[in-house]
């Protein structure tokens, strides 16, 4: 039965909507897991977070940073980014 092989709640690693991307990545890497249940403030499951979700967020942030730096280097937008 599934209950015999599932992770018990006392050992379950979770995330909250208030956690940072870096914090969630650290949880996943330190425990060698690829998914985290996302719990609200009452402990109710509101979603599932995958390593793919986190990688997408990091890549998007890096792309935005590159765009800002590129615009700055080309004299567009000053230090406030693309305009």
């Amino acid at each position: 039965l599934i209950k015999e092989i599932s992770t018990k709640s006392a050992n379950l690693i979770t995330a909250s909507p208030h956690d940072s991307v870096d914090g969630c990545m650290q949880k996943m890497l330190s425990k060698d897991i690829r998914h985290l249940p996302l719990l609200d403030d009452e402990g109710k499951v509101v979603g599932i977070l995958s390593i793919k979700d986190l990688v997408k967020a990091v890549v998007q942030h890096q792309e935005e940073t590159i765009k800002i730096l590129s615009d700055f280097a080309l004299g567009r937008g000053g230090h406030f980014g693309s305009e």
Side-chain angles (χ1 to χ4, degrees), residues 8-75:
K8 305 303 179 235
S9 61
N11 299 324
L12 190 62
I13 308 299
T14 64
S16 93
H18 310 291
D19 289 344
S20 68
V21 170
D22 288 339
C24 290
M25 285 184 121
Q26 197 59 31
K27 287 180 185 183
M28 288 182 179
L29 291 171
S30 68
K31 298 295 184 180
D32 198 27
I33 54 178
R34 295 181 310 224
H35 297 87
L36 293 173
L38 185 62
L39 307 182
D40 66 13
D41 292 335
E42 287 78 43
K44 180 181 173 190
V45 176
V46 293
I48 187 93
L49 187 63
S50 73
I51 193 70
K52 185 177 177 181
D53 296 329
L54 297 176
V55 169
K56 282 182 182 179
V58 169
V59 168
Q60 179 181 356
H61 177 73
Q62 293 301 322
E63 287 174 347
E64 290 168 0
T65 300
I66 289 168
K67 175 75 171 130
I68 291 168
L69 292 172
S70 177
D71 285 352
F72 180 73
L74 296 172

